Amino acid sequence: MAYSDFKLSEVIDSFGLIIHESSQLFASTPEQECSDLLSTILAENVDLAVAISSEKARSEMIISPILLEVRRKFNYQISLFSGVDFTVDSQRGLNGFCDFILSLSSEQLLVRSPVVVLVESKNENLRSGLAQCIAEMVAAQLFNEKNQNQIKAVYGAVTIGTIWQFLKLEGNIISIDLSEYYIKDIKKILGILYSAIAENKL
């Protein structure tokens, strides 16, 4: 079993999670300005990625530039990983590859704790990625604890590039924001990602 094999009911039951569904979970999160660089990249890339309509195109042309923008906002003092093996506990199915990981460590050669944000890229509906993202968030929480790096909360996002949905894991409570954020809301998307990291850097 691996992250991608989990169904939503399985991941909730397997790890004793309490699910909390809420719309507007991040409604009060401040927006972050979008740089001219990112604006230009998205203006060039979004329609092309949608036309190509592959997960790889969406990841490379939309998601990566957004996460790189967040890294720039923290003056490159956080690390960003793409398509890395993140095996934490194979016996419990917490193994496999993560599409994107943001860590508070500035080390870039290997994933170090604390891992703060997991981003799961999909090419179809967002719901199909929720279980996998939650499993990765549980793994990050365990990974951080094993490395004596307990942090307030682990965040997750499931995205097709043009639409984003966010999650938060605090203790055993997984909060799923039922609100979807579209690429036109890029300042809000950046704000949520920025706040997730800033909250844990304090």
Side-chain angles (χ1 to χ4, degrees), residues 1 3 14 23 26 29 38 54 72 84 86-88 90 93 104 110 115 129 136 153 171 191 202:
M1 194 167 186
Y3 299 124
S14 296
S23 59
F26 297 97
T29 303
L38 181 60
S54 70
R72 278 194 298 276
V84 292
F86 188 55
T87 296
V88 176
S90 299
L104 296 190
L110 53 126
V115 169
E136 292 170 3
L202 297 175

Side-chain angles (χ1 to χ4, degrees), residues 25-45:
L25 185 65
F26 297 97
S28 62
T29 303
E31 294 182 348
Q32 281 285 320
E33 284 304 312
C34 177
S35 69
D36 291 342
L37 173 61
L38 181 60
S39 295
T40 302
I41 291 170
L42 293 179
E44 288 183 352
N45 290 4

Side-chain angles (χ1 to χ4, degrees), residues 46-112:
V46 169
D47 288 350
L48 181 58
V50 170
I52 294 170
S53 193
S54 70
E55 189 178 316
K56 189 170 187 289
R58 291 170 184 271
S59 288
E60 292 176 351
M61 297 181 181
I62 307 175
I63 303 168
S64 290
I66 290 172
L67 298 179
L68 286 167
E69 172 93 343
V70 174
R71 186 168 177 259
R72 278 194 298 276
K73 285 182 178 294
F74 285 96
N75 199 26
Y76 308 100
Q77 294 304 301
I78 61 172
S79 49
L80 168 64
F81 298 91
S82 173
V84 292
D85 180 23
F86 188 55
T87 296
V88 176
D89 188 338
S90 299
Q91 291 184 324
R92 301 175 74 189
L94 300 179
N95 58 280
F97 288 82
C98 294
D99 289 330
F100 297 97
I101 294 175
L102 285 167
S103 168
L104 296 190
S105 167
S106 58
E107 286 188 46
Q108 198 59 69
L109 289 176
L110 53 126
V111 180
R112 295 276 195 199

